[in-house]
Amino acid sequence: MPGRIKTGVIGATGMVGQNYIQMLARHPWFEVTYVAASPQSAGKRYADAVAGRWVMDEEIPEAVRDLTVGDASDIATARARCDLVFSAVEMDKQAVRNLEEQYAASGLAVVSNNSAHRWTEDVPMVIPEVNPHHLDVIPLQRKRRGWQKGLIVVKPNCSLQSYLPPIYALIRAGYAVESLIVTTMQAVSGAGYPGPASIDMIDNLIPFIPGEEEKSEQEPRKILGTVRDGKIILNDSLQISAHCNRVPTINGHLACVSLKFGGRKPPLDEIIRIWQEFRAEPQELGLPSAPQPMLIYRDEANRPQPRRDRDAGRGMAITIGRLRPCPVLDIRFVALSHNTVRGAAGGAILIAELLQAKGYLG
Ligand code: NAP
């Protein structure tokens, strides 16, 4: 496919990095021309660097297996080989912040999975179907930092990708949501490779994921914020209480939600109609990774289930079920999203497609 955008994956050997490599193999707009990771992997053939820890179902794509892995700190080589980078490194947050800013200052567009820049004021944190307009802060980001072509956009935490879009759909339809209690059951792949020790996970679950409850409760404030004068104004109207658990599934984060409306309460059939008819900018633009539909409602009493529903819409759709009244708050439901696809690589690729569609990739 000629004319594709030269694309690098930084942290290409890890759990999320491997998902990028597989998902980008047949992408119509982006071509992987560069891979980078830690100094331990640098200098190796990609296939050798991931030998014994390639976790994807498909073989390593031909176009990537012989690429030489670069050192993530080598900005000049990245800039020479690509125009866009997906950042999926796992390292100290300040180091990630510095690294991503150096990439952007060199002229690269950076779309990141890391949490390092999620609270940086001029960096948008985007779910393309929820807050595509937050990309409007990029001109101010470039101006303030003196970047001509470079930019940084981040993807939010994987835990909230299952329940925030269905809630946003209700807010967009005119129903104020006041508060919610969410209990997540998060797959082991969310902890990266090799993840928690098997002795901790088999016949067990762990009712604690460091930092995850805070991210689940706080990040929606920015995602649901408004943009004024090129700045993102936080939305403090929604109160969230989160319980995050690590469970012994491989992929797929499931969330059980109880929710209280702030005013009018829609009937249950109206809520299902809102979800089934939900379309947003990625669907309108026909972006290559946009699921059609994004929100799937299943009537069966025992769905969604991680193994059966995580791959819906090639891992980019969100499956919802079990909508019913809540005797304490107003309603309750269950939602599921694929954490390494919608919640990581796929969600970031969709952001890059939106950047391209809006003219930010030049
Ligand atoms: P991972 O499997 O542990 O992979 C980490 C990657 O970072 C590897 O490529 C590793 O390279 C590289 N790396 C480690 N130390 C480095 C260093 N000092 N310099 C340069 N590269 C270094 O982690 P992951 O699950 O893919 O997560 C990557 C990022 O995505 C994290 O920030 C994570 O929080 C975020 N995220 C993950 C998920 C998920 O579901 N897993 C979802 C959303 C967001 P080597 O192989 O050479 O060590």
Side-chain angles (χ1 to χ4, degrees), residues 94-128:
Q94 189 54 47
V96 175
R97 268 192 287 277
N98 294 343
L99 187 69
E100 292 179 347
E101 286 174 15
Q102 287 172 40
Y103 280 123
S106 79
L108 284 159
V110 180
V111 181
S112 180
N113 286 88
N114 199 283
S115 61
H117 266 303
R118 288 187 194 151
W119 288 100
T120 304
E121 198 185 11
D122 62 355
V123 173
M125 173 161 52
V126 172
I127 299 175

Side-chain angles (χ1 to χ4, degrees), residues 11-17 37-39 41 53 72 88-91 93 113-114 118 155 158 189-193 339-340 343-344:
T13 50
M15 182 74 73
V16 176
S38 77
S41 302
R53 56 174 173 146
V89 287
E90 181 59 67
M91 48 198 270
K93 296 299 167 206
N113 286 88
N114 199 283
R118 288 187 194 151
K155 195 202 63 53
C158 48
S189 62
Y193 188 86
N339 56 297
T340 57

Side-chain angles (χ1 to χ4, degrees), residues 73-333:
S73 63
D74 181 357
I75 312 293
T77 303
R79 185 66 197 98
R81 303 263 171 88
C82 47
D83 296 308
L84 159 71
V85 292
F86 291 106
S87 169
V89 287
E90 181 59 67
M91 48 198 270
D92 169 75
K93 296 299 167 206
Q94 189 54 47
V96 175
R97 268 192 287 277
N98 294 343
L99 187 69
E100 292 179 347
E101 286 174 15
Q102 287 172 40
Y103 280 123
S106 79
L108 284 159
V110 180
V111 181
S112 180
N113 286 88
N114 199 283
S115 61
H117 266 303
R118 288 187 194 151
W119 288 100
T120 304
E121 198 185 11
D122 62 355
V123 173
M125 173 161 52
V126 172
I127 299 175
E129 286 90 346
V130 174
N131 58 337
H133 56 288
H134 283 203
L135 296 184
D136 294 350
V137 305
I138 290 172
L140 194 60
Q141 182 192 84
R142 283 175 163 165
K143 191 171 162 204
R144 280 172 64 177
R145 293 164 180 266
W147 298 341
Q148 300 298 316
K149 291 172 67 185
L151 60 87
I152 302 177
V153 181
V154 297
K155 195 202 63 53
N157 193 254
C158 48
S159 64
L160 54 83
Q161 310 270 342
S162 57
Y163 60 89
L164 197 60
I167 289 168
Y168 167 71
L170 301 177
I171 295 170
R172 194 181 77 170
Y175 296 102
V177 177
E178 185 180 295
S179 57
L180 60 111
I181 297 170
V182 58
T183 301
T184 66
M185 280 152 274
Q186 303 187 204
V188 288
S189 62
Y193 188 86
S198 56
I199 196 95
D200 289 330
M201 289 313 304
I202 294 171
D203 186 29
N204 203 18
L205 65 76
I206 300 172
F208 175 62
I209 306 175
E212 209 78 347
E213 291 175 351
E214 293 80 358
K215 290 172 186 166
S216 304
E217 292 169 355
Q218 295 300 322
E219 291 182 9
R221 297 171 61 219
K222 185 167 180 180
I223 300 163
L224 297 176
T226 47
V227 176
R228 203 178 308 141
D229 301 328
K231 292 185 178 154
I232 299 164
I233 314 294
L234 302 183
N235 180 337
D236 288 322
S237 65
L238 175 62
Q239 301 301 310
I240 301 178
S241 169
H243 306 254
C244 294
N245 304 284
R246 187 71 74 200
V247 301
T249 46
I250 301 286
N251 287 309
H253 288 355
L254 190 89
C256 297
V257 179
S258 284
L259 176 156
K260 181 173 168 50
F261 289 102
R264 288 185 308 135
K265 297 171 192 157
L268 298 185
D269 57 353
E270 162 81 350
I271 292 173
I272 292 172
R273 188 190 60 74
I274 289 168
W275 286 338
Q276 289 175 330
E277 293 179 0
F278 181 78
R279 282 171 64 82
E281 202 168 348
Q283 284 72 33
E284 306 293 348
L285 290 168
L287 299 180
S289 302
Q292 308 266 9
M294 184 208 195
L295 304 180
I296 297 170
Y297 187 79
R298 296 201 67 116
D299 291 321
E300 301 95 318
N302 61 356
R303 302 288 277 273
Q305 298 176 12
R307 185 151 50 82
R308 297 202 162 93
D309 296 306
R310 62 192 168 207
D311 293 324
R314 291 177 294 149
M316 290 295 286
I318 289 156
T319 306
I320 317 166
R322 302 213 63 219
L323 177 66
R324 59 216 192 278
C326 173
V328 178
L329 302 181
D330 289 324
I331 60 163
R332 45 194 167 152
F333 61 90

